[in-house]
């Protein structure tokens, strides 16, 4: 989650410390220019034979201008990217306690499996007879997801969590269209604590968002939901456990009320890690839920993706799942790529049901009798599917449940170890896999949540999620995951305690100029937004570069 | 369990600190009737060896592109990826970091994104590019929504040369919002008159080049027509390597350029993960979807990079955001950037030339096969060929003879009377022997 508040309006004044070096390097922290400064257009790091002379067949479309791309030889390229990499924090290097992000260990077995040519070197449009193993893998992963969540079916193609949200809400829209209620049911209820993607998704699918406040303990009140339910409501979008790290204990009642009012229940599955093997969303009344394979099932985050967001669907929505999908019949697994498209907006009629001719009972993982359309060019994030299945097979039903328990145990251990110093917005109760603190305890100390987070960087830690969820003032949301040893948790806790004592002792110096030991100090984000420089240009290369190379 | 560091003793100590008797006390908020007592009906944990054996078993059932003469394209292309690319993207600090929300300790990712944005802008000849989308098809759908926001109109015109799956993704999104989509009939020979379809109601025209049938399209006249009618021109490409040899859409007047970046640095991977490229004219910057990385300075005045203009994005604007996208294709974008850096101007141009030369060679060879016809007047590295009989059947029979010979058009466009057409792509990975084998096998197959 991205913090949205507390950014410094201007660069913080520099404290004079540390001596300058000729290179601007600081030991192993090495400055690196841009490829446009160190590369040359005539250099290449790839040896390719000169083709025999040919007469082009490009018609009037031959490129006449230079592209403007520098090249690097292989040693230069390797050095460039290795140096860049060294400026990044990573889960491999330390705890990455970003609440809501589930930064757990990424097993290297999963990487190796995804790179097997049998998965990495196959084309999505090869004859199906040549990719039987790939289809079987998708089918097996589907089975795991369906069993784990207790749902009817799963749509595998969504490419990330937000894409999965779109998939689920489109299925809901399609179901409403089929019921003839799409024009009248336009409201989607979203709690104030929701991820920003929820309201953004609902709007994008053509719904209107109505907010639902949380009660004093951070959870949703079924009465508040009921008060907003009528025949204009299409769905509720709810995260469970919610973004405050709390299990919505009224969830079944809420689901029942929403269903009774003719709406659907979309669950944001970002926090599935807390409950896998402990309870099943299908038993809670969920109609659609995306699963972030890059969170719960440990496909690596890669500095911002790729992810994968398969969507499990209840029996009420399964028939509307998008293409493509797998169908098992006498001949084995078939990839169905074309449900008849219903192009008329007002008619997602039954005509399309003839496209899938198999018996409904034989159509696992999902029947998709009235598929709402297509979300992406091909079949989804196969590379992530392989990693996720490797992760699930490794853990098994027992290991996944143990992982959920350890994640919840670790979050509560942090809560219990910090509750005397930090403040919790909703009182001290057991949390799920993440623990939420606010900035009440910082009041009057001259230290903000942001300052505190930046001081953690100097101590060698990635900060927790800050300023999210919005329902807590100056939020600090900590999610340790099950990947941390007790020694790692203890050091993390001891560090936060030490920082907290500094706050209490009035040692604001430690915070206000932090970080001072990272590759960069605080950035002038106002300047970045006011005069956007989004690419390198020859003329624009005016900013001082620390490297003598320039 | 090798991935779980806590011991039973640790767990007991931790429960004691928390002050509860058992782990189940921490799950007490889950209503009793919904708590699972037993383990789910799934296998128990396995060692690396067993998992590897299982997955290798599945992998071995697939015919890999590298093991046979291989001619599939249609939106995903097999190119050689230098070994250093995969090595570098597996660096822990790239592979296992999150979105760069704390820029002081994420300069590596941020600088790589800044370089990527610059590369994409250069390649497409556009002003600005974002930090990536999921893939080319979703980028196309986002571009249409962006055009609607800019023009205030709600009708998109889709060329009959647009990849049918891309068109379907656009139609799916539009169906949900009630926006209009005019889809032109499949345009095998690039003869449609798109200019005639642009009216005062048109928000945008979406046109692909090289198109799905391999034809190159001079979109400059269409750009002029769009400008005249107040519509935006969205140019799409699915084969990024083509831009080494083909006039970039920015030079032909495109307003938004989207494309699939898989070709550079990313394996076929059965369709994903890929990387969507998204570029636009400067004036539309604030309507762009997705993340943008910008240059600034830190408190010591040193150059630094940071995610910026985030007031467009969902975590700030919520229901008013330009898109709901959050996670994108960071690592695939990095692979693209590294491969592109290794190629450089010289390498990319040469790579594109080789692709084109090999395709010309195959086109010439195919002309000699009785009953087979190459339909393209122009092309980069993909052809549409007409075969006698059912193309899907021909492709199956080629596969049985050890050649993955292309994509039958009917796979993308069933029921359109295009059942005798095959899309055939030729990259630098296709050797002279492969081309010869293809022609030979094809002759056999069409003869019988």
């Amino acid at each position: 989650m991205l913090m949205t508040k507390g950014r410094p309006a201007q660069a913080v004044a520099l404290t004079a410390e540390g001596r300058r070096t000729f290179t601007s390097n600081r030991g192993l922290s090495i400055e690196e220019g841009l490829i446009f400064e160190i590369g040359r257009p005539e250099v290449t790091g790839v040896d390719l034979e000169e083709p025999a002379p040919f007469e082009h067949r490009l018609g009037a479309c031959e490129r006449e201008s230079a592209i403007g791309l520098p090249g690097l030889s292989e040693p230069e390229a390797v050095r460039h990217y290795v140096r860049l990499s060294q400026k990044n924090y990573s889960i491999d290097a330390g705890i990455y306690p970003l609440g809501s992000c589930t930064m757990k260990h990424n097993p290297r077995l999963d990487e190796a499996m995804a790179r097997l040519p049998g998965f990495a070197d196959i084309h999505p449009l090869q004859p199906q007879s040549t990719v039987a193993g790939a289809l079987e893998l998708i089918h097996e992963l589907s089975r795991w997801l369906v069993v784990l969540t207790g749902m009817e079916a799963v749509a595998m193609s969504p490419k990330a969590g937000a894409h999965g949200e779109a998939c689920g809400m489109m299925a809901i829209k399609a179901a409403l269209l089929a019921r003839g209620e799409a024009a009248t049911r336009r409201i989607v209820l979203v709690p104030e604590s929701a991820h920003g993607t929820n309201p953004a998704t609902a709007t994008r699918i053509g719904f209107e968002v109505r907010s639902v406040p949380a009660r004093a303990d951070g959870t949703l009140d079924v009465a508040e939901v009921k008060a907003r339910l009528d025949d204009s409501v299409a769905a509720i979008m709810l995260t469970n456990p919610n973004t405050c790290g709390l299990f919505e204990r009224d969830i079944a009642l809420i689901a029942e009320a929403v269903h009774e009012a003719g709406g659907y229940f979309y669950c944001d599955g970002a926090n599935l890690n807390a409950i896998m093997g402990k309870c099943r969303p299908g038993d809670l009344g969920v109609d659609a839920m995306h699963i972030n394979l890059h969170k719960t099932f440990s496909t690596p985050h890669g500095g911002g993706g790729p992810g994968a967001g398969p969507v499990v669907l209840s029996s009420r929505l399964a028939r509307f799942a998008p293409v493509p999908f797998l169908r098992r019949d006498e001949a084995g697994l078939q990839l169905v790529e074309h449900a008849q498209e219903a192009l008329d907006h007002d008619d997602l009629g039954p005509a399309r049901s003839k496209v899938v001719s198999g018996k409904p009972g034989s159509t696992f993982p999902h029947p998709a009798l009235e598929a709402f359309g297509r979300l992406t060019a091909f079949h989804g994030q196969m590379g992530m599917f392989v990693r996720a299945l490797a992760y699930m097979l490794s853990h098994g039903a027992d290991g996944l449940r143990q992982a959920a328990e350890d994640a919840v145990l670790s979050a509560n251990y942090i809560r219990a170890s910090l509750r005397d110093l930090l403040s919790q917005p909703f009182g001290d109760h057991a949390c799920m896999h993440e623990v939420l603190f606010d900035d009440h305890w910082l009041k009057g100390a001259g230290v903000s949540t942001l300052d505190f987070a930046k001081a953690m960087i100097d101590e060698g830690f990635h900060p927790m999620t800050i300023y999210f969820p919005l329902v807590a003032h100056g939020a600090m949301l900590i999610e340790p995951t099950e990947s941390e040893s007790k020694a790692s948790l203890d050091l993390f806790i001891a560090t936060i305690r030490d920082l907290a004592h500094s706050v209490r002792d009035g040692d604001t110096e430690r915070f206000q100029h932090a970080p001072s030991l990272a590759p960069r100090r605080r950035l002038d984000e106002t300047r970045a937004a006011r005069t956007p420089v989004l690419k390198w240009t020859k003329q624009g290369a005016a900013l001082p570069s620390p490297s003598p190379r320039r | 369990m090798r991935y779980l560091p806590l011991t039973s003793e640790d767990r007991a100590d931790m429960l004691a600190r928390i002050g509860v008797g058992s782990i189940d006390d921490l799950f007490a908020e889950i209503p009793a009737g919904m708590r699972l007592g037993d383990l789910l009906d799934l296998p128990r944990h396995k060692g690396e060896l067993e998992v590897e054996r299982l997955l290798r078993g599945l992998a071995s059932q697939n015919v890999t592109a590298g093991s046979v003469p291989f001619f599939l394209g249609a939106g995903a292309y097999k190119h050689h990826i230098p070994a250093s690319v995969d090595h570098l993207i597996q660096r822990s600090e790239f592979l296992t970091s999150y979105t760069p929300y704390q820029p002081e300790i994420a300069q590596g990712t941020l600088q790589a994104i800044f370089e990527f944005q610059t590369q994409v802008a250069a390649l497409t000849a556009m002003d600005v590019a974002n930090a990536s989308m999921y893939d080319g098809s979703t980028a196309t759908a986002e571009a249409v929504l962006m055009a609607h926001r800019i023009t205030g109109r709600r009708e998109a015109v889709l060329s009959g040369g647009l990849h049918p799956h891309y068109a379907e993704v656009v139609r799916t999104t539009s169906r949900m919002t009630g926006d209009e989509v005019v889809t032109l009939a499949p345009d095998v020979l690039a003869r449609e008159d798109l200019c005639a379809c642009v009216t005062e109601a048109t928000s945008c025209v979406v046109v692909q080049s090289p198109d799905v049938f391999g034809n190159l399209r001079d979109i400059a006249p269409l750009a002029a027509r769009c400008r005249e009618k107040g519509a935006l021109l969205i140019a799409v490409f699915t084969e990024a390597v083509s831009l080494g040899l083909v006039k970039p859409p920015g030079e032909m007047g495109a307003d938004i350029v989207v494309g699939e970046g898989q070709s550079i640095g990313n394996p076929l991977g059965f369709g994903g993960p890929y990387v969507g490229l998204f570029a636009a004219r400067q004036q539309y910057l604030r309507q762009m979807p997705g993340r943008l990385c910008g240059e600034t300075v830190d408190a010591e005045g040193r150059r630094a990079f940071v995610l910026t203009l985030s007031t467009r994005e969902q975590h700030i604007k919520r229901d008013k955001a330009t898109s709901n996208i959050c996670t994108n294709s960071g690592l695939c974008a990095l692979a693209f950037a590294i491969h592109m850096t290794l190629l450089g101007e010289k390498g990319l141009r040469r790579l594109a030339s080789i692709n084109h030369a090999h395709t010309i060679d195959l086109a010439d060879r195919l002309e000699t096969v009785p009953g087979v016809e190459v339909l393209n007047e122009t092309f980069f590295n993909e052809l549409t060929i007409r075969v006698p009989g059912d193309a899907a059947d021909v492709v199956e029979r080629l596969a049985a003879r050890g050649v993955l010979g292309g994509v039958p058009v009917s796979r993308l466009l069933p029921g359109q009377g295009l059942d005798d057409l095959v899309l055939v792509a030729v990259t630098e990975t296709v050797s002279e022997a492969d081309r010869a084998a293809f022609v030979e096998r094809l002759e056999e197959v069409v003869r019988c």
Side-chain angles (χ1 to χ4, degrees), chain B residues 236-305:
Chain B
V236 180
F237 57 90
T238 61
E239 170 52 293
V241 172
S242 67
L243 291 167
L245 208 55
V246 169
K247 192 180 286 185
E251 283 181 12
M252 294 190 277
D255 296 294
I256 304 171
V257 178
V258 290
E260 176 53 67
Q262 172 270 329
S263 280
I264 311 227
N266 289 279
L268 288 170
F270 204 48
Y274 289 174
V275 49
L277 310 181
F278 198 112
R281 296 194 179 283
Q282 180 75 29
Q283 71 220 68
Y284 305 128
L285 172 63
R286 280 165 207 275
Q287 289 300 335
M288 282 177 79
R291 296 193 184 112
L292 292 162
C293 172
E295 183 179 298
T296 185
V297 292
D298 80 347
E300 289 182 22
R302 295 176 295 181
R303 178 167 70 188
F305 302 93

Side-chain angles (χ1 to χ4, degrees), chain A residues 174 178 319-321 339 348-350 352-353 367-373:
Chain A
R319 63 198 288 112
F320 302 104
L348 285 176
R352 290 176 304 129
S353 60
L369 294 172
E370 298 178 53
F372 68 70

Side-chain angles (χ1 to χ4, degrees), chain B residues 142-276:
Chain B
E142 288 277 5
V144 169
L145 290 173
M146 175 171 154
H148 291 353
R149 287 193 298 275
I150 292 168
T151 61
R153 303 175 186 178
R154 299 180 66 182
E155 180 191 286
V157 175
L158 310 185
S159 157
L162 178 64
H163 193 296
H165 286 178
Y166 284 41
E168 208 180 329
V169 174
V170 171
R171 284 196 297 270
T172 298
T173 309
S174 300
R175 194 178 305 150
M176 295 296 157
T177 47
D179 296 333
E180 294 295 323
V181 180
V182 178
T183 308
L184 274 67
D187 185 32
V188 181
L189 302 172
R191 290 192 182 150
E192 67 191 0
D193 184 5
L194 273 170
C195 284
C197 303
V198 187
T199 70
E200 273 74 20
T202 308
S203 159
C204 57
V205 179
V206 185
V207 61
Q208 181 180 326
S209 180
D211 68 22
V212 72
F213 301 105
N215 310 296
L216 294 169
R217 291 172 178 239
D218 179 1
I219 57 171
L222 180 60
R225 172 72 179 174
C226 284
R227 214 164 304 128
E228 188 187 311
K229 295 288 177 188
L232 299 187
L233 179 59
I234 299 172
V236 180
F237 57 90
T238 61
E239 170 52 293
V241 172
S242 67
L243 291 167
L245 208 55
V246 169
K247 192 180 286 185
E251 283 181 12
M252 294 190 277
D255 296 294
I256 304 171
V257 178
V258 290
E260 176 53 67
Q262 172 270 329
S263 280
I264 311 227
N266 289 279
L268 288 170
F270 204 48
Y274 289 174
V275 49

Side-chain angles (χ1 to χ4, degrees), chain A residues 488-508:
Chain A
S488 168
L489 294 171
D490 285 338
L491 181 62
F492 177 76
I493 289 162
T495 307
I496 297 218
R497 291 191 67 84
D498 187 68
L499 286 165
H501 283 301
S502 285
V503 172
R504 301 250 151 140
D505 297 346
D507 177 13
T508 53

